[in-house]
């Protein structure tokens, strides 16, 4: 990238304010639902989508009347994501935080993974989150709003795991994009990632008890990660004044050290 296209930092700009309108992808279950619930309980406006609006999402909206906007949106459908972001803006104002959480998993050795499946994993877990970040950042910058992008990546972006080659490529790509986008945005928008270790969810349900035991044995804390372990980092990166920018924060009990 040419240095001339980099946004120059303005040291008089001051800290990025805490997020007020948070858009969370993949919020129908698992970590995304936990993040959406935590954000709604904090009292901010939450926009949450997944391909299917789950009963838990509806319950969240019922529990926080007027503050949770739901959508059945496929992140790979750019027309639908744009329409959703416009809907959210007309209801809550400009989105000033994006949590790029939606992703699909993988459970196949690279030699056995079809070209179509590799393309699907890369589109869902890398291309679509980059396009969503571009959309949200353009709208923030266009309105002079400062904000935060938080990419949910994985220790697989940093360490090797069999059966997760395309998935790891996408997560490592998001970690790399996090650093470069943070540089481009020059502090107007803080861009960070959180990289959890394996935690129980629909995505990791493919892991057998032998693999889970091995992960636990390799983890110095002796504890598997849980979504609740990830929430303090999410809160810090969305709401605290920290000057953390362009970083990937690993939450895995030390399993990857
Ligand atoms: N579980 C782990 O061990 C682990 C470890 C490290 C990192 N992570 C990361 O943590 C994040 C959450 O994972 P999780 O374990 O909570 O997964 P999960 O339970 O499978 O949830 C994934 C979420 O993404 C949504 N989603 C999937 N494809 C989508 C699409 N095309 N468009 C819109 N939404 C889509 C799903 O809803 P629909 O199916 O209804 O669309 C669901 O809400 C992911 O980024 C994952 O890579 C997970």
């Amino acid at each position: 990238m040419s240095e001339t296209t980099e946004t120059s930092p303005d040291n008089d700009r001051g800290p990025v304010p805490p997020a007020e309108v948070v858009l969370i992808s993949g919020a129908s279950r698992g970590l995304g639902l936990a993040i959406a619930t935590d954000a709604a309980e904090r009292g901010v406006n939450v926009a949450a989508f997944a391909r299917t609006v789950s009963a838990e999402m509806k319950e969240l909206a019922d529990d926080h009347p007027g503050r949770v906007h739901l959508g059945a949106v496929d992140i790979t459908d750019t027309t639908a994501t744009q329409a959703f972001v416009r809907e959210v803006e007309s209801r809550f104002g400009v989105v000033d935080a994006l949590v790029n959480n939606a992703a699909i998993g993988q459970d196949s050795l690279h030699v056995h993974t079809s070209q179509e499946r590799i393309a699907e994993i890369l589109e869902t877990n890398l291309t679509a989150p980059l396009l969503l970040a571009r959309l949200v950042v353009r709208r923030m910058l266009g309105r002079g709003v400062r904000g935060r992008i938080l990419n949910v990546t994985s220790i697989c972006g940093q360490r090797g795991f069999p059966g997760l080659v395309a998935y790891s490529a996408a997560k490592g790509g998001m970690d790399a994009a996090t650093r470069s986008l943070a540089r481009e945005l020059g502090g107007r928008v803080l861009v960070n990632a959180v990289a959890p270790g394996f935690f129980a969810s629909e995505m990791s349900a493919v892991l057998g008890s032998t693999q889970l035991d091995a992960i636990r044995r390799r983890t110095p804390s002796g504890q598997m990660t849980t979504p609740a372990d990830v929430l303090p980092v999410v809160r810090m990166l969305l709401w605290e004044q920290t000057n953390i920018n362009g970083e990937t924060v690993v939450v895995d009990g030390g399993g990857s050290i």
Side-chain angles (χ1 to χ4, degrees), residues 31-32 35 98-101 149-158 167 171-172 174-175 178 191-197 199 225-238 244 246-252:
L31 180 59
I35 294 171
L98 165 65
V99 181
N100 247 331
N101 166 81
I149 304 287
L150 177 57
N151 295 316
V152 179
T153 62
S154 164
I155 45 162
C156 297
Q158 305 178 15
Y167 177 87
K171 293 298 183 179
M174 286 305 292
D175 280 343
T178 296
V191 187
N192 289 292
V194 61
F199 58 85
T225 306
T226 66
D229 298 331
V230 182
L231 292 180
V233 176
V234 174
R235 289 183 198 126
M236 175 179 77
L237 295 173
L238 294 185
I244 298 175
E247 290 294 333
T248 297
V249 181
V250 175
V251 182
D252 73 341

Side-chain angles (χ1 to χ4, degrees), residues 25-33 35 49-54 57 72-77 81 100-105 120 123-125 128 151-156 167 171 194-205 207 224-225 227 251:
S25 70
S28 61
R29 57 175 187 265
L31 180 59
L33 179 65
I35 294 171
F49 74 86
R51 286 169 299 184
T52 307
V53 172
S54 62
M57 288 168 95
V73 176
D74 187 328
I75 195 171
T76 65
D77 180 343
T81 52
N100 247 331
N101 166 81
I104 52 174
E120 188 186 10
E123 190 186 0
T124 308
N125 297 2
N151 295 316
V152 179
T153 62
S154 164
I155 45 162
C156 297
Y167 177 87
K171 293 298 183 179
V194 61
F198 290 97
F199 58 85
S201 75
E202 196 167 311
M203 182 180 289
S204 60
L207 295 176
M224 288 285 289
T225 306
V251 182

Side-chain angles (χ1 to χ4, degrees), residues 43-62:
V44 301
N45 291 314
V46 174
F49 74 86
R51 286 169 299 184
T52 307
V53 172
S54 62
E56 290 82 359
M57 288 168 95
K58 287 184 192 145
E59 200 178 314
L60 182 65
D62 289 344

Side-chain angles (χ1 to χ4, degrees), residues 2-189:
S2 151
E3 285 296 307
T4 55
T5 60
E6 192 172 320
T7 313
S8 64
D10 168 359
N11 292 331
D12 294 333
R13 205 180 288 128
V16 174
E20 289 176 3
V21 181
V22 183
L23 175 62
I24 303 159
S25 70
S28 61
R29 57 175 187 265
L31 180 59
L33 179 65
I35 294 171
T37 304
D38 195 58
E41 284 170 358
R42 191 183 176 87
V44 301
N45 291 314
V46 174
F49 74 86
R51 286 169 299 184
T52 307
V53 172
S54 62
E56 290 82 359
M57 288 168 95
K58 287 184 192 145
E59 200 178 314
L60 182 65
D62 289 344
D63 289 347
H64 302 277
R67 283 197 290 102
V68 177
H69 188 81
L70 303 178
V73 176
D74 187 328
I75 195 171
T76 65
D77 180 343
T78 44
T79 308
T81 52
Q82 279 172 13
F84 184 69
V85 169
R86 272 193 223 103
E87 255 173 57
V88 174
E89 276 184 1
S90 64
R91 185 161 173 196
F92 295 144
V94 180
V95 172
D96 60 358
L98 165 65
V99 181
N100 247 331
N101 166 81
I104 52 174
Q106 181 179 5
D107 180 33
S108 57
L109 296 177
H110 195 51
V111 288
H112 296 144
T113 309
S114 68
Q115 183 171 346
E116 291 70 28
R117 182 62 182 165
I118 291 172
E120 188 186 10
I121 292 168
L122 293 179
E123 190 186 0
T124 308
N125 297 2
L126 181 61
T127 308
L130 290 180
L131 290 175
L132 186 55
R134 186 182 69 163
L135 174 68
V136 168
V137 167
R138 278 179 174 169
R139 298 178 91 85
M140 280 187 212
L141 296 181
R143 290 160 181 76
V145 168
R146 301 181 62 203
R148 309 188 186 214
I149 304 287
L150 177 57
N151 295 316
V152 179
T153 62
S154 164
I155 45 162
C156 297
Q158 305 178 15
R159 296 285 183 270
F161 289 90
L164 288 166
V165 170
Y167 177 87
S168 302
K171 293 298 183 179
M174 286 305 292
D175 280 343
T178 296
R179 292 186 285 273
S180 292
L181 188 58
R183 278 233 163 258
E184 278 190 19
L185 292 172
R188 288 176 173 78
V189 178

